[in-house]
Amino acid sequence: MKLEQALEEYEKRRKKAEKEAEKVRKKYNKRLEKKVKDILKKIDALERKEVPKNVDERIKRIVTAEKKSYVGALRKALESIETMDDLGKRLPDLAKLHVGHGKYLLLIFEKDVYAINRLLKELNEDYLNYYEELSKKDLIELEIGELIEGEDETKKNLSLAEKEKKDLQKKVEEKKAELEEFYREHGLDELEKGIKELSLRVKRGEMEVRSRASKLQKPIKRMRLHEEIASEFVKDSSVVLKRPEEFVSLLQKIYPRLEGKHKKTAQWLIENLLEKTEAIEDDRKKLVELEKKRDKIISDAETKKKEIWELERLIEEKEAEIKKLKRQLEHLEKELNKSLRKLEEILGEKIER
């Protein structure tokens, strides 16, 4: 059986079941009205009755108080009951009153209390019969139409969210391409390459000078010279890069006192140190200039980067939305399949969507 046909058949049966259920409600509500009136009459009669004169005065006061409390509570509970559904809600309260009448009240007005309790018991039995009969007539609400509508709407929203995610991803790729093009136009790769080469050249030049100069630290230390440049050099060979002229002057002064390889090292430094440190300083200045240019390009590209970050954040939000919609769709499909199985049980036929 096709789903549309099955739903039409189900709706016919549901309407029929509702009519039958309404008949059950009317029948039991009419019976309820009569029994409530009967109980209220017995309550009124009990309320009017006086405690016999031969009863002890203390017990008389207790019975009077119990009777007033019992009658008042029972009347209040019953006056709020108009339908069997109302009765179902008040049954717990009536059950308490059924046994909560007080031992002295029962002792003096036993027949009246038992008569009321018998009618209360009948009300409880009537409600059980009503509920059982109504359950047989009633047809469960499946809400298949609402589930299908919800499923279609969720699929539509999921498809839209996935499309929006793809559009955002496309924009990210475009923005990244624009950023790469911006870097190419401003020669960022060449600058990075130049910075790397200059940085390496500066380090090599400094290492060469410091390596040669460090060979003279021990002999100069042994000379116990009083010049400031000598003391600083013994502690740190990098001073030759900061104050090359002073160091060359020091070497020229102590040159006659040096021997062998130390003399050769001093001679190389006297001849080359100024030229080497000047070349290193030139390279360092060029390096600073290149780094400034690179930093300027990167700073100018910051807006484009922020646009990419914002788009990527929106993609993450969209992914969370898609995940939520998929869970929702899975739940709806599960509920719909469950409802369709129940519909098949009701109609006794296999249903095709």
Side-chain angles (χ1 to χ4, degrees):
M1 183 184 290
K2 294 292 183 182
L3 178 58
E4 187 177 345
Q5 185 184 353
L7 289 174
E8 287 177 4
E9 179 62 27
Y10 165 75
E11 189 60 26
K12 287 178 186 177
R13 293 192 187 189
R14 195 188 64 79
K15 286 178 179 178
K16 183 181 177 183
E18 184 58 38
K19 287 179 181 178
E20 291 177 356
E22 189 59 31
K23 288 178 184 177
V24 172
R25 290 190 188 96
K26 285 180 180 179
K27 180 179 74 173
Y28 277 92
N29 285 340
K30 190 174 180 180
R31 188 183 301 177
L32 171 68
E33 185 180 0
K34 184 179 181 303
K35 284 195 177 177
V36 168
K37 284 180 180 178
D38 290 343
I39 298 172
L40 288 171
K41 284 178 184 178
K42 290 193 178 295
I43 291 171
D44 291 341
L46 174 61
E47 189 175 33
R48 288 192 297 270
K49 282 190 176 183
E50 297 291 338
V51 179
K53 292 180 181 180
N54 61 346
V55 174
D56 180 78
E57 191 62 32
R58 186 181 68 83
I59 294 176
K60 184 178 180 180
R61 286 196 302 271
I62 294 172
V63 170
T64 301
E66 285 182 352
K67 180 158 71 78
K68 183 179 178 181
S69 175
Y70 174 68
V71 166
L74 193 52
R75 182 182 286 125
K76 185 179 178 182
L78 289 169
E79 285 175 348
S80 66
I81 297 171
E82 294 181 358
T83 66
M84 292 301 290
D85 292 327
D86 294 335
L87 174 62
K89 295 173 185 175
R90 299 312 299 267
L91 278 177
D93 296 332
L94 292 174
K96 290 176 186 176
L97 291 168
H98 183 76
V99 295
H101 36 61
K103 65 178 182 179
Y104 289 107
L105 177 64
L106 184 61
L107 182 67
I108 304 300
F109 298 108
E110 183 178 2
K111 288 183 180 180
D112 299 275
V113 173
Y114 277 165
I116 291 170
N117 280 352
R118 179 176 55 78
L119 290 172
L120 289 175
K121 186 179 179 182
E122 288 178 9
L123 277 184
N124 186 67
E125 290 170 354
D126 280 351
Y127 181 76
L128 293 174
N129 292 333
Y130 162 77
Y131 185 78
E132 185 180 353
E133 203 169 325
L134 196 63
S135 298
K136 290 177 182 177
K137 302 293 182 184
D138 195 22
L139 203 61
I140 56 172
E141 192 71 39
L142 294 177
E143 298 181 347
I144 290 175
E146 290 84 345
L147 287 169
I148 291 173
E149 186 178 334
E151 183 187 52
D152 290 342
E153 183 67 20
T154 304
K155 283 180 179 178
K156 180 182 174 183
N157 292 335
L158 179 59
S159 178
L160 179 62
E162 287 175 337
K163 182 182 180 301
E164 287 173 344
K165 178 189 170 183
K166 285 181 181 178
D167 291 342
L168 287 169
Q169 288 174 328
K170 186 178 178 182
K171 284 182 181 178
V172 167
E173 295 304 315
E174 289 172 355
K175 290 293 180 183
K176 284 183 176 179
E178 287 176 12
L179 183 61
E180 290 300 319
E181 182 60 27
F182 175 82
Y183 286 149
R184 277 196 297 273
E185 287 178 358
H186 291 79
L188 182 64
D189 287 344
E190 288 77 7
L191 281 171
E192 293 283 11
K193 186 178 177 181
I195 288 168
K196 187 177 179 180
E197 289 176 355
L198 278 172
S199 180
L200 188 60
R201 201 157 73 196
V202 166
K203 285 178 182 177
R204 282 176 178 170
E206 289 176 344
M207 284 178 64
E208 181 187 16
V209 170
R210 289 187 65 178
S211 177
R212 286 180 181 271
S214 64
K215 294 174 183 178
L216 298 176
Q217 281 179 307
K218 285 184 179 179
I220 289 177
K221 183 179 181 180
R222 286 196 295 268
M223 291 179 187
R224 300 182 182 277
L225 302 171
H226 298 294
E227 285 87 342
E228 181 185 347
I229 185 69
S231 300
E232 290 184 16
F233 170 68
V234 168
K235 295 175 184 176
D236 183 4
S237 63
S238 68
V239 73
V240 300
L241 297 168
K242 300 169 187 174
R243 296 155 66 183
E245 294 89 350
E246 290 181 55
F247 189 69
V248 169
S249 297
L250 175 67
L251 292 180
Q252 289 171 338
K253 182 179 176 181
I254 65 169
Y255 182 75
R257 298 170 62 181
L258 295 169
E259 296 179 354
K261 60 180 181 179
H262 294 141
K263 183 170 284 214
K264 286 183 180 180
T265 298
Q267 184 178 351
W268 186 91
L269 287 168
I270 291 168
E271 292 173 355
N272 298 288
L273 181 58
L274 294 179
E275 183 182 343
K276 289 284 185 182
T277 53
E278 186 177 343
I280 291 169
E281 188 59 31
D282 286 344
D283 284 345
R284 193 180 285 113
K285 286 177 181 178
K286 289 175 184 177
L287 179 61
V288 169
E289 288 301 315
L290 291 183
E291 286 174 339
K292 283 181 180 179
K293 287 181 180 179
R294 179 197 60 189
D295 293 345
K296 176 70 167 54
I297 293 168
I298 292 172
S299 177
D300 290 344
E302 199 63 30
T303 302
K304 296 181 184 296
K305 284 183 181 179
K306 284 179 180 177
E307 288 176 356
I308 293 171
W309 294 335
E310 179 60 23
L311 287 169
E312 287 175 339
R313 185 187 66 79
L314 291 174
I315 288 172
E316 287 178 2
E317 288 182 1
K318 197 58 63 177
E319 285 174 342
E321 182 186 346
I322 289 169
K323 193 174 180 181
K324 183 180 177 182
L325 286 168
K326 283 182 177 179
R327 285 199 302 266
Q328 185 178 327
L329 182 60
E330 186 179 346
H331 172 72
L332 286 168
E333 288 174 342
K334 186 178 178 181
E335 289 301 309
L336 181 56
N337 286 332
K338 194 187 296 182
S339 294
L340 288 173
R341 297 296 80 78
K342 287 179 181 177
L343 183 57
E344 286 178 342
E345 288 175 12
I346 292 168
L347 301 180
E349 288 192 48
K350 190 75 177 174
I351 296 170
E352 298 176 12
R353 285 191 66 182

